[in-house]
Amino acid sequence: MEILCKVFLVLLLFAVVAPELGCASHNVRIFAPSLSRLAASAASAASQPYRTSFHFQPPKNWMNDPNGPMFYNGYYHLFYQWNPYAAVWGNITWGHAVSTDMIHWDILELALVPDQWYDQYGCWSGSATFINGKPVLLYTGWSNVSFSRDNQVQMQAMAIAANYSDPLLREWTKLPQNPILTAPVGINSTKFRDPTTAWLGEDGKWRMIIGAKRKHRGVALLYRSSDFIQWEKAKHPLHTVALTGMWECPDFYPVPASASITGLDTSANGPHVKHVLKVSLDDTKHDYYTVGTYITSSDSFIASNANLDAGLGLRYDYGKYYASKTFFDSKKNRRILLGWVNESSSELADIAKDWSSLQAFPRIVWLDEEDNDRLLQWPIEEIEMLRKEKFSLKSSQIDKGATVKVEGVKSAQLDVLVDFELPQLNGAEEMVVNTNNAQQLCSVRGATRSGVLGPFGLLVLASEDLSEQTAVFFYIMSNGEGKWNALICNDQSRSTLAADTDKTPYGSFIPLSGMEKTLSLRVLVDHSIVETFAQGGKVCITSRVYPTKAIEDKAQLYLFNNGSVPVHLRELTAWDMETVHIGSI
Ligand code: DQQ
């Protein structure tokens, strides 16, 4: 009977993920916690000041990477690495939530749990691929080879939906052929994980990449398959960069070379297409992306600018943001980026509050037409449905040392947009600028120190007496050779009076041509997260903060300028935001 069942499953996959599956018994849910228990803990968490109002987070426990995001049959699906037992990493399953707008999420049963020999220690990260319109999941199983945790191995496995006519795709069935891949010769079996969404080549074969490392070289191993079950390793990896360490959660996708905001399906290619390779560096826990060309004849990727190659150049986000993943949203023809935002508090604090980590607010991602090596990111437009009361300030001058309160704002959940008129750049302080010293400069120069053209910007989650404040600010610098950069910082060094949190400021540079008329900021504030989108999304910075006084309706918003040159505010608009409740269906 079992053999018949296996044969049946294979035939169904070849028939391209058939709508009705008879053998769903492989997915034994050995430890799905009951939804009523989750709902009860959500209710008791409502009094917690650091739970967010419009960022996705499960009712309790630990969460990390987003997995297999997709749009299918009217629903967005978000899977995520989740520990059903504790607010620390471990026992990793695939949590599953669905939404019609990526704002209002309902949590379903766990999609994948460690119940097979090849994933007994955890169902690690992976992705979703559509085969003839039906999604299948690839993930990494963590197990051992000799019944000892000392012999850990990572293997790739696959699951298909038990019933494709269920738009919620509640139940997933692991293939009897699993594991479909084990580590190849020359790759340490503990450094072989996180299969990407697959794409179709011109030869009709599927391709996917898997993160790995060789010595200290980051590697994106390339595999090809005709049937999605038998995978063959290509002789050469898709890409590799020396000294970047283990590449986790790679992502590889096309973007229109025209810099159109319209997204492309993952298999799209051609002369009007560029490709993006993203790698998550295990050593530093940062996500780096590179724009380049996918050369189909050699199945390889070349960075447009070698200095910005994978792991060396640009990051999606210069704060807390890791293991991100994109997907093509066929509902609105856009590419959506999701990322894991860890805590900055201690593990003990996480255990005490009974949860850890958020998903960043979903972003749309596309090529920057002013600088084709760079991507732009922006919160999805659906956020606007949450805007309530609006506060505005128009055209005013912010003098040296001034702190201007945005009257009426008393909220820890805000969407803030602000445009500053770019001041005369002559006179900007001279500074040696390189990609590595921005964060350091944010600490050294700080929001409170006096400068010339800056620091100026916003104070969010600020208490009335300003003893707690998270500064988001610009600081303009010259390289002494007629070129300028805007240093952009999230400075959480004064974000809380509490000890025991990491308050290191984060930052990056935005190159300025001198022709820009404005410097702009968009900041999403949500109780314990501050997400900054600077200059139309050229640079993003995400921070976690834990104010003790500036909470709920005690949280205020200010503009400030600590530079000697007055700054002109063109316009500020801030909205108080609706609270979204995460449900279960
Ligand atoms: N998280 C997963 C791994 C991945 C890492 C385990 C990245 O698959 O490499 O929870 O955060």
Coordinates of all heavy atoms in Angstrom, one line a residue, residues 64-65 81 89 92 124-125 140 193-194 248-249 285 322-323 340, ligand 1:
N64 N 12.1 33.3 13.1 CA 13.2 33.9 12.3 C 12.8 34.0 10.9 O 11.8 34.6 10.6 CB 14.5 33.3 12.6 CG 14.8 31.8 12.5 OD1 14.1 31.1 13.2 ND2 15.7 31.4 11.7
D65 N 13.5 33.4 10.0 CA 13.4 33.7 8.5 C 12.0 33.6 7.9 O 11.3 32.6 8.2 CB 14.3 32.8 7.7 CG 15.6 32.5 8.3 OD1 16.0 33.2 9.3 OD2 16.3 31.5 7.9
Q81 N 10.1 30.5 10.0 CA 10.8 29.7 10.9 C 10.3 30.0 12.3 O 10.3 31.1 12.8 CB 12.3 29.9 10.9 CG 12.9 29.7 9.5 CD 13.4 28.2 9.3 OE1 14.3 27.8 9.9 NE2 12.6 27.4 8.6
W89 N 15.6 30.4 19.7 CA 15.7 29.6 18.6 C 15.8 28.1 18.9 O 16.5 27.7 19.9 CB 17.0 30.0 17.7 CG 17.1 29.2 16.4 CD1 16.5 29.6 15.3 CD2 17.8 28.0 16.2 NE1 16.8 28.7 14.3 CE2 17.6 27.7 14.8 CE3 18.5 27.1 17.0 CZ2 18.1 26.6 14.2 CZ3 19.0 26.0 16.4 CH2 18.8 25.7 15.0
I92 N 12.8 23.9 15.1 CA 12.3 24.8 14.0 C 11.3 24.1 13.1 O 11.6 23.1 12.5 CB 13.5 25.4 13.2 CG1 14.2 26.4 14.1 CG2 12.9 26.1 12.0 CD1 13.5 27.6 14.6
W124 N 14.3 23.7 8.1 CA 14.9 25.0 8.0 C 14.5 25.7 6.7 O 13.6 25.2 6.0 CB 16.5 24.8 8.0 CG 17.0 24.5 9.4 CD1 16.3 24.2 10.5 CD2 18.3 24.6 9.8 NE1 17.1 24.1 11.6 CE2 18.4 24.3 11.2 CE3 19.5 24.8 9.1 CZ2 19.6 24.3 11.9 CZ3 20.7 24.8 9.9 CH2 20.7 24.5 11.2
S125 N 15.1 26.8 6.4 CA 14.6 27.7 5.4 C 14.5 27.2 4.0 O 15.3 26.3 3.6 CB 15.4 29.0 5.4 OG 15.0 29.7 6.6
T140 N 15.2 22.9 3.8 CA 16.4 22.2 4.3 C 16.0 21.4 5.5 O 15.5 22.0 6.5 CB 17.5 23.2 4.6 OG1 17.9 23.8 3.4 CG2 18.8 22.4 5.2
R193 N 22.6 24.7 2.6 CA 21.2 24.9 3.0 C 20.5 26.1 2.2 O 21.1 26.9 1.5 CB 21.1 25.2 4.5 CG 21.9 26.3 5.0 CD 21.7 26.4 6.5 NE 22.5 27.5 7.2 CZ 23.7 27.3 7.7 NH1 24.3 26.1 7.6 NH2 24.4 28.3 8.2
D194 N 19.2 26.1 2.4 CA 18.3 27.2 2.0 C 18.1 27.3 0.5 O 18.5 28.3 -0.2 CB 18.8 28.6 2.5 CG 19.1 28.5 4.0 OD1 18.5 27.7 4.7 OD2 20.0 29.3 4.5
E248 N 24.0 32.2 3.5 CA 22.7 31.6 3.9 C 21.6 32.2 3.0 O 21.8 33.3 2.4 CB 22.4 31.9 5.3 CG 23.3 31.3 6.3 CD 22.9 31.4 7.8 OE1 22.6 32.5 8.2 OE2 22.8 30.4 8.4
C249 N 20.5 31.6 2.9 CA 19.3 32.1 2.3 C 19.5 32.9 1.0 O 19.1 34.1 0.9 CB 18.5 33.0 3.3 SG 18.0 32.1 4.7
K285 N 25.7 38.5 9.8 CA 24.2 38.5 9.8 C 23.7 39.8 9.1 O 22.8 40.5 9.6 CB 23.7 38.5 11.3 CG 24.0 37.2 12.0 CD 23.1 36.1 11.6 CE 23.4 34.8 12.3 NZ 23.9 33.7 11.5
Y322 N 17.6 40.4 8.2 CA 18.4 39.3 7.7 C 17.5 38.2 7.1 O 16.3 38.1 7.3 CB 19.1 38.7 9.0 CG 20.2 37.7 8.6 CD1 21.3 38.1 7.9 CD2 20.1 36.4 9.0 CE1 22.3 37.1 7.5 CE2 21.1 35.4 8.7 CZ 22.2 35.8 7.9 OH 23.1 34.9 7.6
A323 N 18.1 37.3 6.4 CA 17.5 36.1 5.8 C 16.3 36.4 5.0 O 15.3 35.7 5.0 CB 17.2 35.1 6.9
W340 N 13.6 39.2 8.1 CA 13.5 38.9 9.5 C 14.2 40.0 10.3 O 15.3 40.4 10.0 CB 14.2 37.5 9.8 CG 14.5 37.3 11.2 CD1 13.7 37.5 12.3 CD2 15.7 36.6 11.7 NE1 14.4 37.1 13.4 CE2 15.6 36.6 13.1 CE3 16.9 36.1 11.1 CZ2 16.6 36.0 13.9 CZ3 17.8 35.6 11.9 CH2 17.7 35.5 13.3
Ligands
DQQ1 N1 18.0 30.2 9.5 C1 17.6 28.9 9.2 C2 18.6 28.4 8.2 C3 19.2 29.6 7.6 C4 19.2 30.5 8.8 C5 17.5 28.0 10.4 C6 19.3 32.0 8.5 O1 18.0 27.6 7.2 O2 20.4 29.4 7.1 O3 16.5 28.5 11.3 O4 18.8 32.8 9.5

